[in-house]
Amino acid sequence: MAEFTTEQIRNLAVLGHTGAGKSSLLEALLFSADAITLKGRVDKGTNHADFTAQEKSHRHSLEPSFLNLDYQSHHINFIDTPGLPDFFGRALLPLPGVESVLLVVNAGVGIESVTKRAFEAARRQGKAVIIAINHMDGNETNVSEVMMDIQHQFGHRCLPVNLPHTNADGVVDSVVDCYLHCDETTSTLFSSPTQARDELVDTVLEEDEALMELYLEQGESLSPEQLHAPLETALRMGHLVPVCFTSAEQDIGIGSLLEMLIKLMPSPLEANPPQFIKGFGDDAKPINVTQKASDHVLAHVFRVAIDPFFGRMGVFRLYQGTISVGMKLFIGSGRKPFKVSHLMKLQGDKQINVNQALPGDICAIAKLEELTVGAVLHDSHDEDEFHLPELKFPQPIFGLAVSAKRRGDEQKISEVLHKLVAEDPSLQISRNEAEGQTVLQGQGDLHLQIALEKAQNLFNVDMETDIPAIAYRETIMGEAEFRYRHKKQSGGSGQFGEVELKVEPLARGQGFEFVSKVVGGSVPSQYIPAVEKGVREAMLVGELGGYPLQDIKVTVLDGKHHSVDSKEIAFVMAGKRAFMEAVKLAQPVMLEPIVDMNIQVAQTHVGEITGDISSARGIVCGTQANSKGLVEVNVEAPLANVSNYSTRLKSMTGGDGQFSMQFSRYDVLPQKELKAVVS
């Protein structure tokens, strides 16, 4: 592998809806750059991104996978992501490690649910976005319509940087080689190279008054060198989204796309820098990374994979410093360093040893059980408390109650479940005390099936599954105060702790807030964390149905301590009981999960669909025709009433309908429904 500087690196996460052709497009890019000698095929299970046994079996990307290529003295790291809606949480994992997102759209279908979610996620993360409209061959009549739809939904600053020939057998550049002269000899499906170039220049000029003056002074002309920095700024600020046209199957537009990636997309030094934070809570302070190879090491682990034979592997993005084989690093606030014995670049299923990594690169280390998603690697205790903001994953909306098939496997099952969650934080494990169930929660049926299949095939664990109770929550509608004294004497040193707590509701989705207003030392400061620990324990089991509590603010108002008998455990117990009693007085209510659904059916089924949703306590938010000739019905409904919706939709449409679902919010469960839930 050749050596590169940070300026020559490009990092891209490849996102898009299933069927858009992400993996096939990567095969074409790798082949074009001579990184592989033969293009693999998704339908034959030979492509380089989908190399696990599960992916070969299901013919879908199920995990983020890592590929790289060298092209024109640049090194490009690609991260292929799953496109199935159930696996959108896994698709989000790579975003902290890249500067840019390559969003792939199927020319024959247009914008789909994952396309929208991916674009929004990239925007929230401050990533530059480039869109590739793939499968343009055979979809010539759709291309201009898809382009217009992209501009309608994602903004008018989504602009083509190349244009497809009229017969879709090639593309003509409208930016990279068109600054000084545009090729107008080839007819295109829409627009013209000159028009496309002028629209792009006008967009850049809108954000730069000095450049506008220079443009006018030079007779409405700019050189490529004068446009480069403004273009990069427009990309980084989200003021420009380049759009390319490709056919991965026919190798059309692939070379042009490679050119755009290295000439338009930002390097690690040009992109929006990540905002590291030092410390937690009120003590947290922003830290700017230097991205200098000579400074302290600062790297962020954004992907963890666990193998029963090879152990735990972590993929990291290096932001600062140089990591070399043989050096010692720390993981987070860990006091004991580890030695970097192997440093690897990942190329599909291959692990290629390298001697060092420079700022901006993406590499992997293995056989470190302490690695977790979000961990920071560093070489000085000065960075013990450095971290990036936690990545927020979609709220799980489906669950399966899991239990051991064989007696004695309970501990093994617990270990495997935690390994699955370590790899995929969009999975969650919860304990439903009300039902006595351990519940694995995820984004959908397929998400959970794949996880359980992996537990069986890779970790040799069989589990019984059952439909779990819906993931209800509890909260309070009013305020209340309660004082509780925990006192225990059994000879010798006893236990004493007394606290007075106030509970009050927070806005929906705010979670939990803990505040101490104790004055005068009635509860010594060293015992306040113990009170919070007791409150957090109590929040796991609510008052009405035993479901976890949320959206509550707890304030410690007062208390008492004993110079001899006060201990941490005493204040844990006092905090727990005071909170439980205060909740009883604060108008506790049950919360139910509400989901947003996008249902696509033929016009003849719309009436039946809307009637069924209304009977399920749902609300129809709108309908619209899409490019596939179907009607999209957007609704919101209680998850409890649509948890079996795939079966109902199949029955109503004869198997022709399809839908996607995602968590929206928690809302108060109507009183008339409460009895059925808690009985």
Side-chain angles (χ1 to χ4, degrees):
M1 179 180 165
E3 294 185 2
F4 296 92
T5 64
T6 301
E7 293 90 338
Q8 294 170 310
I9 294 173
R10 302 291 184 271
N11 298 309
L12 295 104
V14 186
L15 280 76
H17 202 91
T18 184
K22 300 182 298 299
S23 300
S24 298
L25 185 60
L26 284 172
E27 292 291 310
L29 291 167
L30 291 167
F31 183 73
S32 178
D34 296 324
I36 57 175
T37 56
L38 184 67
K39 286 201 300 181
R41 294 184 61 89
V42 174
D43 57 356
K44 294 183 178 179
T46 58
N47 66 305
H48 292 74
D50 302 336
F51 57 84
T52 69
Q54 273 190 306
E55 289 173 321
K56 289 177 182 292
S57 171
H58 289 274
R59 297 288 193 267
H60 280 293
S61 298
L62 302 175
E63 311 272 359
S65 60
F66 300 82
L67 299 160
N68 61 80
L69 60 82
D70 300 336
Y71 185 74
Q72 294 186 2
S73 301
H74 286 76
H75 182 66
I76 307 179
N77 291 309
F78 290 107
I79 308 175
D80 188 31
T81 65
L84 291 163
D86 278 16
F87 297 94
F88 187 66
R90 296 186 186 185
L92 294 178
L93 275 171
L95 287 185
V98 301
E99 294 81 44
S100 307
V101 167
L102 172 57
L103 186 62
V104 185
V105 178
N106 187 335
V109 180
I111 296 173
E112 299 174 88
S113 61
V114 170
T115 319
K116 297 177 186 177
R117 297 172 70 185
F119 185 84
E120 292 166 358
R123 277 284 173 263
R124 287 194 301 270
Q125 293 277 318
K127 307 302 177 184
V129 178
I130 182 170
I131 297 175
I133 299 178
N134 195 28
H135 299 311
M136 69 171 185
D137 57 306
N139 291 299
E140 294 88 345
T141 57
N142 288 12
V143 167
S144 61
E145 183 180 342
V146 172
M147 183 68 234
M148 287 190 292
D149 198 26
I150 287 172
Q151 291 181 329
H152 174 71
Q153 297 203 40
F154 298 154
H156 68 278
R157 292 181 176 182
C158 297
L159 296 174
V161 288
N162 61 30
L163 296 169
H165 295 173
T166 302
N167 56 3
D169 64 350
V171 297
V172 56
D173 177 53
S174 56
V175 175
V176 173
D177 297 320
C178 191
Y179 289 113
L180 303 177
H181 173 71
C182 285
D183 179 9
E184 300 287 348
T185 61
T186 304
S187 59
T188 55
L189 280 173
F190 65 93
S191 187
S192 71
T194 300
Q195 181 182 342
R197 180 202 61 190
D198 291 346
E199 287 178 351
L200 183 136
V201 171
D202 289 346
T203 297
V204 173
L205 292 177
E206 286 178 15
E207 306 296 331
D208 194 325
E209 292 184 7
L211 188 67
M212 173 68 83
E213 292 179 7
L214 182 63
Y215 175 72
L216 296 174
E217 287 175 6
Q218 297 181 172
E220 298 188 357
S221 175
L222 292 169
S223 70
E225 293 74 23
Q226 290 170 325
L227 264 175
H228 176 77
L231 271 172
E232 178 273 313
T233 301
L235 280 164
R236 177 165 48 85
M237 300 303 293
H239 298 151
L240 172 65
V241 178
V243 181
C244 296
F245 296 86
T246 63
S247 168
E249 289 289 327
Q250 303 299 324
D251 285 326
I252 298 170
I254 302 304
S256 177
L257 177 56
L258 278 171
E259 292 275 343
M260 302 301 172
L261 296 183
I262 63 173
K263 294 183 179 179
L264 289 182
M265 305 315 288
S267 75
L269 297 180
E270 295 171 324
N272 294 321
Q275 186 58 76
F276 274 85
I277 299 169
K278 181 178 183 180
F280 300 88
D282 295 337
D283 298 327
K285 297 178 181 178
I287 298 293
N288 294 321
V289 297
T290 66
Q291 302 198 74
K292 293 181 179 179
S294 58
D295 278 352
H296 282 306
V297 168
L298 201 59
H300 175 257
V301 177
F302 61 88
R303 166 72 174 145
V304 167
I306 303 174
D307 187 278
F309 303 105
F310 300 107
R312 187 175 295 223
M313 180 178 68
V315 183
F316 65 86
R317 160 70 186 276
L318 181 57
Y319 288 99
Q320 183 177 289
T322 302
I323 295 180
S324 302
V325 173
M327 74 184 303
K328 292 184 177 181
L329 297 175
F330 298 97
I331 301 174
S333 58
R335 308 305 295 175
K336 185 179 178 181
F338 71 91
K339 183 178 180 180
V340 180
S341 55
H342 295 284
L343 191 61
M344 300 168 289
K345 291 285 291 185
L346 302 181
Q347 185 74 326
D349 61 345
K350 295 182 175 61
Q351 301 171 357
I352 303 167
N353 289 324
V354 294
N355 293 321
Q356 71 172 19
L358 293 176
D361 208 357
I362 293 174
C363 291
I365 50 177
K367 298 183 179 180
L368 291 169
E369 293 305 309
E370 299 84 1
L371 287 176
T372 58
V373 171
V376 170
L377 309 179
H378 56 96
D379 59 357
S380 168
H381 284 304
D382 292 342
E383 289 91 37
D384 278 353
E385 293 188 343
F386 280 29
H387 60 99
L388 282 174
E390 186 176 351
L391 186 64
K392 294 191 179 299
F393 293 96
Q395 176 81 27
I397 57 174
F398 283 83
L400 283 175
V402 296
S403 58
K405 262 189 178 179
R406 298 185 296 267
R407 292 190 62 180
D409 275 1
E410 289 79 8
Q411 181 61 34
K412 188 176 181 181
I413 284 177
S414 177
E415 292 173 358
V416 169
L417 288 176
H418 282 88
K419 287 179 180 179
L420 294 174
V421 173
E423 286 191 324
D424 180 4
S426 63
L427 289 169
Q428 289 183 12
I429 307 168
S430 63
R431 180 68 183 170
N432 187 336
E433 298 295 345
E435 304 291 336
Q437 295 176 324
T438 296
V439 179
L440 181 65
Q441 294 176 298
Q443 302 304 307
D445 290 336
L446 182 60
H447 191 199
L448 298 176
Q449 289 170 16
I450 292 296
L452 295 176
E453 185 181 287
K454 186 171 187 176
Q456 183 178 36
N457 295 342
L458 199 59
F459 299 105
N460 196 29
V461 168
D462 288 333
M463 288 181 254
E464 297 278 7
T465 62
D466 194 7
I467 298 174
I470 296 295
Y472 292 102
R473 296 290 185 266
E474 298 184 27
T475 191
I476 56 175
M477 300 297 286
E479 299 180 5
E481 297 177 14
F482 199 88
R483 192 178 189 98
Y484 185 84
R485 173 181 293 182
H486 175 78
K487 185 176 181 181
K488 188 176 181 181
Q489 196 76 38
S490 57
S493 178
Q495 296 179 10
F496 182 90
E498 183 175 327
V499 294
E500 182 179 355
L501 300 182
K502 177 183 179 181
V503 297
E504 53 191 306
L506 290 174
R508 197 72 66 238
Q510 292 298 302
F512 173 67
E513 184 179 341
F514 183 86
V515 178
S516 173
K517 291 188 176 179
V518 173
V519 294
S522 57
V523 179
S525 59
Q526 67 264 31
Y527 293 130
I528 297 298
V531 177
E532 181 177 358
K533 180 180 179 182
V535 170
R536 287 186 178 274
E537 288 180 2
M539 288 189 69
L540 297 175
V541 183
E543 166 65 18
L544 297 176
Y547 296 96
L549 288 143
Q550 65 180 40
D551 304 334
I552 297 178
K553 179 179 179 180
V554 178
T555 306
V556 187
L557 301 175
D558 196 11
K560 289 183 180 179
H561 74 286
H562 189 278
S563 58
V564 176
D565 291 344
S566 284
K567 297 178 177 64
E568 181 178 315
I569 184 61
F571 280 97
V572 170
M573 295 303 297
K576 187 174 185 177
R577 291 300 302 274
F579 175 79
M580 292 167 64
E581 295 300 325
V583 165
K584 292 180 182 179
L585 303 174
Q587 303 172 44
V589 294
M590 191 84 78
L591 298 174
E592 63 176 343
I594 305 296
V595 295
D596 289 329
M597 300 174 64
N598 177 270
I599 308 165
Q600 299 181 38
V601 294
Q603 177 67 51
T604 53
H605 297 299
V606 170
E608 190 174 2
I609 294 298
T610 56
D612 179 68
I613 288 296
S614 297
S615 68
R617 293 196 291 123
I619 299 172
V620 177
C621 303
T623 60
Q624 63 181 28
N626 66 19
S627 59
K628 293 179 284 187
L630 300 175
V631 176
E632 294 188 13
V633 185
N634 295 304
V635 309
E636 61 178 40
L639 175 60
N641 292 10
V642 291
S643 59
N644 64 339
Y645 196 72
S646 58
T647 303
R648 285 157 55 187
L649 182 62
K650 185 176 181 179
S651 174
M652 287 185 287
T653 65
D656 290 336
Q658 54 183 310
F659 77 103
S660 61
M661 180 188 297
Q662 66 186 80
F663 174 81
S664 172
R665 66 188 185 280
Y666 273 98
D667 213 341
V668 176
L669 181 72
Q671 190 66 31
K672 63 181 180 180
E673 308 289 336
L674 180 62
K675 186 176 180 180
V677 173
V678 301
S679 59

